[in-house]
Amino acid sequence: MSSNSTKKKSILDYSILYKVSISFLFSIILVCSSVYLLPLAFSSGGIVITQWGEYGRRDGRMIYPQGIAVDSSSGNVYVADTGNNRIQVFSSNGIVITQWGEYGSRDGRMRSPTDVALDQEGNVYVADTGNNRIQVFSSNGTVITEWGRYGSRGGNMRSPQGIAVDSSSGNVYVADTGNNRIQVFSSNGTVITEELGDNIVLRSPQGIAVDSSSGNVYVADTTTNLISAINSRLVNDNVTFSSEEGEIYGNDTRIKIEPIYDGLERPTAIAFLGPDDMLVLQKTNNTIMRIVNGQMLDEPVLDLGNSTKIIGCMCGIEISRNDTGTSYAFVYYYIAEVIEENGTTKLVNSLYRYDIDNNGKFTNPKLLFEIPSAREGLHHGGKLMIGPDKNVYLTIGDINGRETKAQNIKNGSLLDGSSGILRFTQDGQTVSGGLLGNTSPLDKYYAYGIRNSFGIDYDPFIGNIWITYDGPWYGNEPNFCDAGI
């Protein structure tokens, strides 16, 4: 899509924006005027209902108020009294209820706060612009938390001037004005998205509002004179970070994500023997450990011993349970230094099949595939999948940039098993004849031309295989793969 078309789609018709604003604030629009130094209340037809305030520092008076929010349950009006470095709270007819804040950078103090928003519990979120942070207060002004400081990294801010809370998720949207972006936080300040809207370029955004029913975020992009609409329904928008201990709950409270085991060193893959019974691979560990009900068992299910040293990665594992009652474990590791019987060593990438005994231990190793490796080489792939056809699929990259005909290089060397998805029966045999030839490893190719892939899975809805494709510093993408492609 061209940048011009993107801009056209981001410009909203003013009549539509007006209707959206009306639906947000029901039948009354409250406008905070920095010219007249007082809030004005209009009916939905634009008739002035009331107004209050005048220039000054006493309660009820204001200096350049810039932000305003309404508590839908009480009707109280919260005003960011910018020039007085405070928040004032009024009844709907303008009677002062409370106020808090003064100039400063300590908790509870502010420097030119420009916007304010409320969540479903009545907590008050303030864009503390001059302090480059967000402060959260209870409805009576007690400090709950604060986050942010000057900077451009995720979570840091430069003069944030707009803030909004999504009532459906509790997520907090901040117009990070000086950094020309919208940041999304959980209610306790954990960064969810550093820059919302990859296809929209913002310049000094100041105003922001969220339609909680659709997830659309409306941004007043001040320098470009545009109103931009961004859809915020991201994959991780449905989770809320609920505690410092790392508990995460989804909108469906039956789903809870929590740590199962702590203390692993660079884990790369897991497979399940049963409920709460998992096998874990760690990158350069010669053993495969078993964790049952959150406890790691003392004895590994597999120990490669001193004859095999993993230099690269213990990377792939899949479990297969057959109708005959037999269970297999398939394990792939790369850049393995193997000591042979005559005492010489070799570097290999290997795919093994193991029997799983009644105690969960791996026995009777059978080598299904092996390819010479390269010390400290890149692009080894290494993920496994048992397909719906019960066959074994393995991703392998170009192993340090090998230029074979699997990469469609006309004068390249013969295919050696790299740069493709290989497919085996569970006994390591060819499936339905070879794609590229009748000899090994040509007969094992399911697909070729793959630079590197570190993920593979089967899509039961469309019947295709999806893989991750890792590009050269960019272009990482999911690809769907059919036989021969």
Side-chain angles (χ1 to χ4, degrees):
M1 181 181 293
S2 69
S3 59
N4 288 335
S5 64
T6 300
K7 288 183 179 179
K8 288 179 181 178
K9 287 190 176 183
S10 67
I11 302 174
L12 302 182
D13 184 276
Y14 282 104
S15 65
I16 295 175
L17 182 61
Y18 174 79
K19 292 177 182 178
V20 171
S21 300
I22 296 298
S23 66
F24 284 162
L25 302 182
F26 303 101
S27 62
I28 296 178
I29 302 175
L30 293 175
V31 179
C32 201
S33 171
S34 60
V35 177
Y36 295 103
L37 311 171
L38 48 81
L40 301 173
F42 297 88
S43 69
S44 58
I47 300 173
V48 176
I49 299 174
T50 187
Q51 64 180 31
W52 64 84
E54 60 181 292
Y55 183 90
R57 300 188 182 279
R58 296 172 58 184
D59 289 355
R61 298 184 178 185
M62 302 167 235
I63 300 178
Y64 301 115
Q66 294 190 46
I68 195 165
V70 178
D71 185 340
S72 59
S73 63
S74 65
N76 292 338
V77 182
Y78 291 73
V79 177
D81 186 3
T82 308
N84 282 321
N85 305 293
R86 67 184 177 185
I87 302 299
Q88 292 202 71
V89 186
F90 300 87
S91 67
S92 58
N93 59 4
I95 296 174
V96 177
I97 296 174
T98 187
Q99 64 88 19
W100 66 83
E102 59 181 296
Y103 181 86
S105 57
R106 295 173 60 182
D107 289 354
R109 298 186 179 186
M110 307 172 214
R111 293 173 59 196
S112 302
T114 54
D115 203 7
V116 61
L118 276 68
D119 65 14
Q120 292 290 86
E121 286 71 42
N123 297 322
V124 183
Y125 294 74
V126 176
D128 188 3
T129 307
N131 284 321
N132 305 291
R133 68 183 177 184
I134 302 302
Q135 291 201 74
V136 186
F137 302 87
S138 67
S139 58
N140 62 5
T142 302
V143 177
I144 297 174
T145 187
E146 59 93 10
W147 67 81
R149 60 180 178 177
Y150 182 86
S152 58
R153 297 177 62 182
N156 294 343
M157 305 171 222
R158 294 173 58 193
S159 302
Q161 295 190 41
I163 191 166
V165 179
D166 186 344
S167 61
S168 66
S169 66
N171 291 339
V172 182
Y173 294 78
V174 176
D176 187 5
T177 308
N179 284 321
N180 304 299
R181 67 185 178 186
I182 303 300
Q183 292 199 73
V184 187
F185 300 86
S186 69
S187 58
N188 65 3
T190 302
V191 177
I192 296 176
T193 305
E194 293 183 16
E195 188 168 351
L196 185 68
D198 294 336
N199 62 338
I200 294 180
V201 177
L202 301 174
R203 295 179 62 190
S204 302
Q206 293 187 27
I208 188 167
V210 180
D211 181 353
S212 297
S213 62
S214 67
N216 291 334
V217 179
Y218 297 88
V219 180
D221 194 23
T222 305
T223 301
T224 62
N225 303 300
L226 297 175
I227 301 298
S228 296
I230 307 171
N231 190 283
S232 66
R233 288 291 188 253
L234 306 176
V235 173
N236 59 354
D237 251 4
N238 289 328
V239 298
T240 300
F241 296 77
S242 60
S243 74
E244 294 180 357
E245 288 72 29
E247 290 183 337
I248 308 171
Y249 291 90
N251 284 342
D252 184 342
T253 56
R254 295 172 300 177
I255 300 174
K256 179 182 178 182
I257 306 171
E258 60 183 343
I260 298 299
Y261 183 84
D262 188 17
L264 297 172
E265 184 175 350
R266 304 177 77 181
T268 56
I270 62 173
F272 287 88
L273 289 178
D276 298 318
D277 188 351
M278 68 178 66
L279 306 173
V280 180
L281 274 61
Q282 299 172 83
K283 191 172 188 294
T284 55
N285 198 317
N286 278 28
T287 63
I288 297 178
M289 304 305 296
R290 184 178 181 184
I291 298 174
V292 180
N293 294 321
Q295 299 296 317
M296 180 178 285
L297 304 187
D298 294 333
E299 294 293 327
V301 299
L302 175 66
D303 188 345
L304 297 178
N306 297 324
S307 63
T308 302
K309 180 181 180 182
I310 305 298
I311 300 172
C313 182
M314 182 87 82
C315 274
I317 184 170
E318 277 290 300
I319 304 297
S320 174
R321 294 176 178 82
N322 300 313
D323 296 336
T324 60
T326 57
S327 294
Y328 293 135
F330 297 88
V331 178
Y332 176 82
Y333 49 78
Y334 66 72
I335 315 183
E337 188 175 64
V338 179
I339 301 175
E340 300 188 281
E341 292 182 359
N342 61 7
T344 61
T345 61
K346 62 179 181 179
L347 284 178
V348 293
N349 297 355
S350 302
L351 172 64
Y352 274 90
R353 187 196 79 186
Y354 296 88
D355 294 341
I356 303 176
D357 67 18
N358 293 332
N359 296 316
K361 297 295 184 67
F362 291 6
T363 61
N364 301 325
K366 179 177 180 178
L367 179 63
L368 301 187
F369 177 75
E370 188 172 271
I371 182 173
S373 191
R375 188 179 294 271
E376 298 180 357
L378 301 174
H379 306 168
H380 293 265
K383 287 304 178 181
L384 290 168
M385 177 190 77
I386 305 294
D389 54 6
K390 304 298 183 183
N391 293 315
V392 182
Y393 294 77
L394 168 65
T395 67
I396 297 184
D398 61 24
I399 306 181
N400 216 27
R402 294 183 185 182
E403 296 184 347
T404 73
K405 291 183 178 180
Q407 287 288 353
N408 295 310
I409 298 175
K410 184 176 181 181
N411 297 319
S413 58
L414 292 177
L415 292 80
D416 59 2
S418 63
S419 304
I421 298 176
L422 306 186
R423 179 174 60 172
F424 311 83
T425 69
Q426 295 195 16
D427 291 325
Q429 302 303 311
T430 300
V431 179
S432 302
L435 172 66
L436 301 177
N438 296 320
T439 60
S440 184
L442 302 182
D443 58 356
K444 303 301 189 299
Y445 276 89
Y446 176 82
Y448 60 95
I450 296 172
R451 178 179 184 269
N452 196 29
S453 174
F454 205 66
I456 183 170
D457 209 346
Y458 175 75
D459 186 335
F461 295 103
I462 61 175
N464 287 320
I465 291 174
W466 288 89
I467 65 169
T468 60
Y469 187 91
D470 299 339
W473 305 108
Y474 61 89
N476 295 342
E477 59 192 18
N479 287 179
F480 94 84
C481 183
D482 205 350
I485 298 176

